[in-house]
Amino acid sequence: MVLLKSFVLAGLTAVVTAKSAVLDLIPSNFDEVVLKSGKPTLVEFFAPWCGHCKTLAPVYEELAQAFEFNKDVQIAKVDADAERSLGKRFGVQGFPTLKWFDGKSDKPTEYNGGRDLEALTAFITEKTGIKSKKKLAPPSSVAYLTDATFKNTIGGDKHVLVAFTAPWCGHCKSLAPTWESLATTFANEPNVVIAKVDAEAENSKATANEYGVTSYPTIKFFPKGSTTPEEYSGGRSEENFVTFLNEQAGTHRAAGGGVDATAGTFAVLDEIVTKYISGTPLTDAAAEVKKAAENLKEDAQYKYAEYYLRVFDKLSKSDNFAAKELARLEGILKKGGLAPAKLDELTSKTNILRKFVEKVTGKDEL
């Protein structure tokens, strides 16, 4: 037997199943609870047999619990299969349909945003100014694209990796945490976007159709300056995606965050460092680095080409500069607590300094 508890609203009872914070609406209480209460209400029209509705159910319950403390906003649902008159009254043609009642008008607006907890919470906060009490996960670095935003994102000065997904897709759910981690890993790369498109949402399925998406997840890569995608068919671990993007975008990311051991370095400049260690006079090597750096000005890492010059300048004043500076920066990195951008910068500098120190060590061993 299912236990029930009641919430008395304007003399009528809104029934809520035990342990649920979502209000159950039926024809006899709908007007009083939603239209005459003066309270903004998000209403889900669902059907018990609907797969998408089953996927949304736990998220919707979390949403209701997150706002349960505040009596000025309501999260409710209607079994529109059983209560067809309510579905017909508000023009419901598919499931689930989410409609927002502002507490003033009997004409709702349809909600077409994302169906994750973060998107739904942000929507309610935007509409009401009421903040959720539930501690949410850190903001996602994934760019959620719609028909309206997709074309503004691709074809510009950024490389874009897009996952076309569906809410009910098991493989998509398995990919989700990896995709979030990948987006966080590339969050500090201004020329790379990790994006996602809900291929079955009303506001984005036209884009999925345009690009011939027929199964999920489908992953496509749009090189900067191009609106013609390349199909991604590699592995689906974060390491696989990071390797792919580093090759395509010229980045130097490491899976799990930070940059790899090549970040900041240039093969052409490393060759000059080798020549310097092998006996080329410092002034000649510095001049050669300066000349070679002129051809690297368009590179995203150009500031590190300038760092090579700085190291040569410091070496002209102290033979031990590279070793001492490397030890100092490694000490800072070991302490931790650095902002991501600073961590990337210091790691890149240690990669460059290590070229000088490793070469010197190699020469001494000879």
Side-chain angles (χ1 to χ4, degrees):
M1 178 179 180
V2 177
L3 298 176
L4 300 176
K5 61 180 180 180
S6 301
F7 287 78
V8 179
L9 297 166
L12 291 180
T13 301
V15 180
V16 184
T17 57
K19 297 182 181 179
S20 175
V22 181
L23 298 172
D24 277 321
L25 301 173
I26 54 178
S28 63
N29 69 8
F30 190 97
D31 286 8
E32 290 295 332
V33 173
V34 179
L35 302 182
K36 297 179 181 179
S37 66
K39 298 180 181 181
T41 308
L42 183 65
V43 180
E44 176 199 6
F45 293 83
F46 75 98
W49 44 263
C50 163
H52 293 307
C53 302
K54 293 176 183 177
T55 299
L56 178 61
V59 175
Y60 204 65
E61 179 63 40
E62 279 192 78
L63 180 71
Q65 291 173 2
F67 286 95
E68 190 176 19
F69 73 97
N70 194 301
K71 302 305 178 184
D72 293 327
V73 65
Q74 303 178 131
I75 310 298
K77 67 181 189 291
V78 173
D79 181 344
D81 192 44
E83 311 297 349
R84 297 190 178 186
S85 62
L86 284 176
K88 183 178 180 180
R89 178 181 174 186
F90 293 105
V92 174
Q93 297 181 330
F95 305 119
T97 292
L98 296 172
K99 290 184 179 285
W100 175 255
F101 294 81
D102 63 9
K104 301 174 184 178
S105 170
D106 61 354
K107 292 181 173 56
T109 57
E110 190 150 337
Y111 172 80
N112 290 313
R115 292 178 185 171
D116 57 280
L117 182 60
E118 289 74 16
L120 289 163
T121 299
F123 173 79
I124 291 177
T125 298
E126 178 186 348
K127 290 291 187 180
T128 65
I130 300 170
K131 294 185 178 180
S132 161
K133 263 193 173 181
K134 184 179 180 64
K135 186 176 181 181
L136 299 176
S140 173
S141 295
V142 175
Y144 289 87
L145 304 179
T146 64
D147 296 334
T149 60
F150 192 89
K151 283 183 167 52
N152 294 329
T153 304
I154 65 168
D157 60 355
K158 301 179 188 297
H159 300 278
V160 186
L161 187 65
V162 186
F164 292 84
T165 63
W168 49 263
C169 164
H171 292 303
C172 300
K173 292 176 183 177
S174 297
L175 177 66
T178 300
W179 209 246
E180 287 291 337
S181 181
L182 180 67
T184 300
T185 294
F186 280 86
N188 286 329
E189 289 293 343
N191 299 323
V192 176
V193 176
I194 307 302
K196 185 179 283 189
V197 171
D198 181 345
E200 295 200 343
E202 289 300 321
N203 64 346
S204 53
K205 64 182 181 181
T207 295
N209 290 335
E210 179 181 348
Y211 287 97
V213 175
T214 57
S215 61
Y216 312 119
T218 290
I219 300 170
K220 294 179 181 288
F221 176 70
F222 292 81
K224 69 177 182 179
S226 174
T227 58
T228 302
E230 301 172 11
E231 197 85 11
Y232 175 83
S233 57
R236 292 183 180 173
S237 69
E238 184 180 353
E239 290 78 6
N240 294 143
F241 290 125
V242 169
T243 298
F244 173 80
L245 284 169
N246 283 343
E247 292 173 351
Q248 296 294 324
T251 50
H252 298 269
R253 287 289 148 189
V259 290
D260 63 20
T262 66
T265 64
F266 295 88
V268 65
L269 302 185
D270 291 339
E271 289 177 9
I272 300 172
V273 172
T274 301
K275 289 164 65 176
Y276 159 66
I277 296 303
S278 299
T280 297
L282 184 146
T283 53
D284 292 350
E288 196 172 343
V289 165
K290 185 175 182 179
K291 183 178 179 180
E294 288 294 319
N295 298 321
L296 301 172
K297 287 186 175 180
E298 299 301 316
D299 195 288
Q301 292 198 114
Y302 175 68
K303 67 178 181 179
Y304 295 114
E306 294 180 316
Y307 188 69
Y308 277 82
L309 283 171
R310 183 184 173 195
V311 174
F312 273 110
D313 179 60
K314 293 291 186 179
L315 285 170
S316 69
K317 300 165 186 173
S318 172
D319 290 343
N320 294 324
F321 170 76
K324 288 182 178 179
E325 183 66 359
L326 177 60
R328 185 182 75 85
L329 296 185
E330 286 181 333
I332 295 173
L333 290 170
K334 188 175 181 180
K335 288 180 181 178
L338 297 172
K342 194 65 176 178
L343 178 63
D344 291 350
E345 177 189 341
L346 296 191
T347 303
S348 296
K349 286 181 176 179
T350 60
N351 289 342
I352 295 169
L353 290 167
R354 203 167 284 114
K355 297 294 181 181
F356 288 85
V357 174
E358 288 174 353
K359 295 298 183 182
V360 168
T361 301
K363 180 183 178 185
D364 289 344
E365 288 175 352
L366 294 175

